[in-house]
Amino acid sequence: MKKSKSFAFLFLITLLVSIIISGCSSRVENEEPALVKIEEIADNDEVAEDEENQEDIETLEINDTEPIELGGELSEETDELIEESIKEAPKEMNDSPLDAPAIENKQAKLEEKSYEEEKKVPEETPVVSEESSVKKNALKLEGKLSETAYTLDELKGMTDIIFEGSFYSLNNFGTTKHNTFRGVDLWKLISKNNIASDASTVSIVASDGYEMVFSIDAVKKQDYIDETDPSVKLPMIIAWSQDGEEFSIDEGAPYKLIIGQKEAGDVNKPQWVSNIDKILIK
Ligand SMILES: Nc1nc2c(c(=O)[nH]1)N[C@H]1C(S)=C(S)[C@@H](COP(=O)(O)O)O[C@H]1N2
Ligand SMILES: [Mo]
């Protein structure tokens, strides 16, 4: 019996070699993959009784979409496989010729995987759209507080914490400007959500990854200045409009962090985070 298995294995190798030689430049499209021929041999020799082997054969048969390329990369791969089979032949042949690595074609493995994954999908998975459960263009508050997300309309409804005022900006190039912003007082907004007593920083994170980190004390501060006007005292705000015009949603949620100056000469414009994705308390 062992002798006939050896013969079957040798035959298999011979077959593979002849496939490579004859198929070097040919392309088998959507036909039986060459390796499926193993099944025929196996059936003839009545050695394909092992269920695992049957599964391997089924997997090979699933190949009905991707054409198998013979020659080029695959033939190199096949060469390797043959070398491997020869090396491991004695051990493998004690089980069954079909366990030989020759059928462990990488493509077959891949298909086996996706096939297995397909099989695992329950038949009636309820499809819940993420869009329906997540508020669109919401301002997210995350981290050490009661996490929440506010829509623009919800923010506009918070009349108790709305702040509108003229802010002076100075950027790195010395450019200065005055603009009127309308939004909510950042500290008062955070305070509505049970901020943890050990929270120490507030990160303002934009959808493009731009981020500014402030200490809790910096966010609490309600007396940022405008170096051109000593009468001005400003809180940090999350604004949704500038000079009466709402921010566009083209590049993210329509919120912008606005902060005054700590002292005269303070370059505050780079701290104005546009398109805020979330406010993260740490
Ligand atoms: N989301 C986001 N906000 C940002 C930046 C950025 O790259 N991404 N750049 C900052 C810098 S360096 C400056 S000077 C100002 C520029 O603001 P402006 O685009 O309104 O001129 O935005 C600040 N806010
Ligand atoms: Mo900048």
Side-chain angles (χ1 to χ4, degrees), residues 173-243:
F173 303 107
T175 311
T176 64
K177 237 176 184 176
H178 273 102
N179 297 98
T180 298
F181 293 97
R182 183 176 175 84
V184 285
D185 181 312
L186 176 57
W187 176 245
K188 290 175 184 168
L189 181 72
I190 289 170
S191 300
K192 283 179 180 280
N193 295 283
N194 309 309
I195 183 166
S197 55
D198 65 343
S200 60
T201 63
V202 177
S203 301
I204 313 294
V205 185
S207 44
D208 64 354
Y210 194 80
E211 178 176 358
M212 287 295 311
V213 183
F214 300 92
S215 69
I216 294 282
D217 283 347
V219 177
K220 276 184 188 169
K221 193 172 147 74
Q222 300 280 315
D223 56 356
Y224 286 96
I225 67 155
D226 169 344
E227 65 180 310
T228 69
D229 184 349
S231 71
V232 170
K233 298 271 175 281
L234 302 160
M236 281 172 77
I237 68 167
I238 301 295
W240 53 78
S241 80
Q242 174 175 327
D243 303 325

Side-chain angles (χ1 to χ4, degrees), residues 6 11 33 37 51 64-65 74 113 127 130 143 155 157 163 167 195 203 210 230:
S6 304
F11 187 79
K37 294 219 167 90
E51 272 189 28
D64 58 3
T65 47
L74 190 69
K113 207 179 160 209
V127 180
E130 264 203 28
L155 290 170
F163 183 93
F167 285 73
I195 183 166
S203 301
Y210 194 80

Side-chain angles (χ1 to χ4, degrees), residues 133-135 137-151 154-155 158 161 186 188-195 255 276-281:
S133 57
V134 174
K135 293 179 181 178
N137 286 325
L139 180 69
K140 293 178 266 181
L141 269 62
E142 294 179 4
K144 291 187 166 184
L145 79 175
S146 303
E147 297 193 336
T148 186
Y150 297 114
T151 62
E154 284 168 339
L155 290 170
M158 297 180 178
I161 63 166
L186 176 57
K188 290 175 184 168
L189 181 72
I190 289 170
S191 300
K192 283 179 180 280
N193 295 283
N194 309 309
I195 183 166
Y255 313 110
I276 300 169
D277 174 51
K278 65 181 170 192
I279 294 169
L280 184 56
I281 315 295

Side-chain angles (χ1 to χ4, degrees), residues 171-172 206 208 210 256 269-275:
N171 78 6
N172 325 59
D208 64 354
Y210 194 80
K256 189 169 189 160
K269 183 83 183 275
Q271 300 170 42
W272 292 10
V273 181
S274 305
N275 303 117

